[in-house]
Amino acid sequence: MKKIFWGFCLFVLGFSNSSFGQAVKSGEKLVYAGSYNMSGLMTQLAQVTMSTETVSTSKNAYLHLSCELSTYSKWDSFFKIRDIYESYVNPANLKPSLYKRSIDEGGYTKKEKYAFKGNTVNSTTKRKSKPETQKTFTIGGATQDVISLLYKVRTIDFSKFKVGQTQNLMIVFDEKQIPVTLRFMGKETVNAGNLGKKECYKLSIGAKTDALRGKDKNLIWLTADAKKIPALLKFSIPVGTGQLTLTSATGI
């Protein structure tokens, strides 16, 4: 089950010169039903909620990006999940300043905090009953955390992409940089929750990690408009396949 929700996180887990403000704004809330293929049936197990808000300190204003994953109550006795991923970014360019991760998965707990200073990351990690650890490591100038990357993707002008065109990216996760490749696969119309049927950009996501499997098996559909809302996400991981389906989009 832990690998299943790593798949969720990598996707929900969001390249170009277009304006971030055109794609998303403070006050946005996206809700997804998370499903996993159990005995040949796609079964809804969890809710994933992504939201944005503006927060200010005495010196700066940030856009707070939040992603919460929770199993539905009827599944809690089987395997209870309560995960929160947060990123505080510069609203103008989406550069992360602070990333926080708090997971509680079947009794296993872990908390992480990354403080970004230029190309340096100072991380703090606490796993269940183990002592807190600290680490300092270097990342590339364009490296994003897993949450801010999904929003960064939404700033791309995919209308200029040709089928098969790719874009290389980099995320930092578990104190490691992971290369990610995005491939444009054209347009398809899919159901987008309360938004109805929407024409979408179809993208294949590949990452140099054992968490994802198969060529063109990990897919995301973004609405083919200025907002580029993730409407549908499908993933293939070592223990099976699953998907995230948009049920509600507000504040967009």
Side-chain angles (χ1 to χ4, degrees):
M1 283 293 289
K2 186 178 179 182
K3 290 183 178 179
I4 295 172
F5 283 89
W6 155 239
F8 284 157
C9 295
L10 185 60
F11 273 90
V12 304
L13 346 138
F15 315 120
S16 74
N17 295 321
S18 58
S19 168
F20 173 65
Q22 293 176 336
V24 68
K25 61 184 180 180
S26 178
E28 179 184 278
K29 183 178 180 180
L30 308 176
V31 181
Y32 298 85
S35 304
Y36 178 67
N37 192 329
M38 301 179 69
S39 301
L41 295 175
M42 199 62 71
T43 305
Q44 290 188 4
L45 300 176
Q47 179 172 289
V48 178
T49 303
M50 300 184 68
S51 59
T52 65
E53 65 174 344
T54 301
V55 295
S56 299
T57 66
S58 59
K59 295 182 179 180
N60 297 297
Y62 298 96
L63 192 65
H64 176 215
L65 312 175
S66 175
C67 178
E68 299 186 26
L69 298 84
S70 300
T71 43
Y72 296 125
S73 58
K74 66 179 181 180
W75 292 102
D76 282 349
S77 59
F78 172 62
F79 197 88
K80 184 178 180 179
I81 302 288
R82 296 293 186 273
D83 293 354
I84 301 176
Y85 292 73
E86 300 173 274
S87 183
Y88 294 81
V89 302
N90 183 320
N93 58 20
L94 287 186
K95 292 285 289 184
S97 292
L98 180 65
Y99 165 79
K100 299 168 68 177
R101 175 189 178 199
S102 176
I103 65 173
D104 186 341
E105 302 176 351
Y108 172 80
T109 61
K110 180 179 180 180
K111 291 187 177 182
E112 286 182 305
K113 182 172 70 174
Y114 294 174
F116 295 81
K117 295 182 179 180
N119 289 1
T120 300
V121 177
N122 296 312
S123 67
T124 303
T125 303
K126 179 70 170 68
R127 293 177 175 85
K128 203 172 182 180
S129 58
K130 294 183 178 180
E132 182 178 274
T133 61
Q134 295 182 342
K135 184 177 180 179
T136 298
F137 55 95
T138 302
I139 60 173
T143 300
Q144 306 267 156
D145 62 73
V146 67
I147 298 301
S148 65
L149 180 70
L150 184 59
Y151 287 93
K152 187 73 171 180
V153 169
R154 291 172 55 188
T155 69
I156 301 177
D157 184 1
F158 288 109
S159 66
K160 298 179 180 178
F161 273 52
K162 296 180 180 179
V163 173
Q165 185 173 339
T166 62
Q167 178 72 46
N168 295 322
L169 306 165
M170 189 74 72
I171 62 172
V172 58
F173 194 82
D174 280 340
E175 299 177 328
K176 295 179 292 186
Q177 290 194 106
I178 301 175
V180 175
T181 300
L182 188 71
R183 188 165 75 90
F184 182 66
M185 300 181 70
K187 291 182 179 181
E188 286 185 358
T189 298
V190 301
N191 289 320
N194 64 318
L195 303 180
K197 290 186 176 181
K198 300 284 289 187
E199 184 179 50
C200 293
Y201 299 117
K202 182 180 179 181
L203 309 164
S204 172
I205 298 179
K208 292 186 178 180
T209 169
D210 292 335
L212 301 180
R213 293 290 178 88
K215 182 179 179 181
D216 296 335
K217 297 294 185 179
N218 299 285
L219 304 166
I220 180 171
W221 285 258
L222 302 177
T223 57
D225 52 31
K227 298 297 182 182
K228 302 182 188 69
I229 302 296
L232 175 65
L233 307 96
K234 294 185 178 182
F235 57 88
S236 177
I237 54 180
V239 291
T241 59
Q243 66 183 35
L244 298 177
T245 306
L246 180 69
T247 59
S248 174
T250 56
I252 59 176

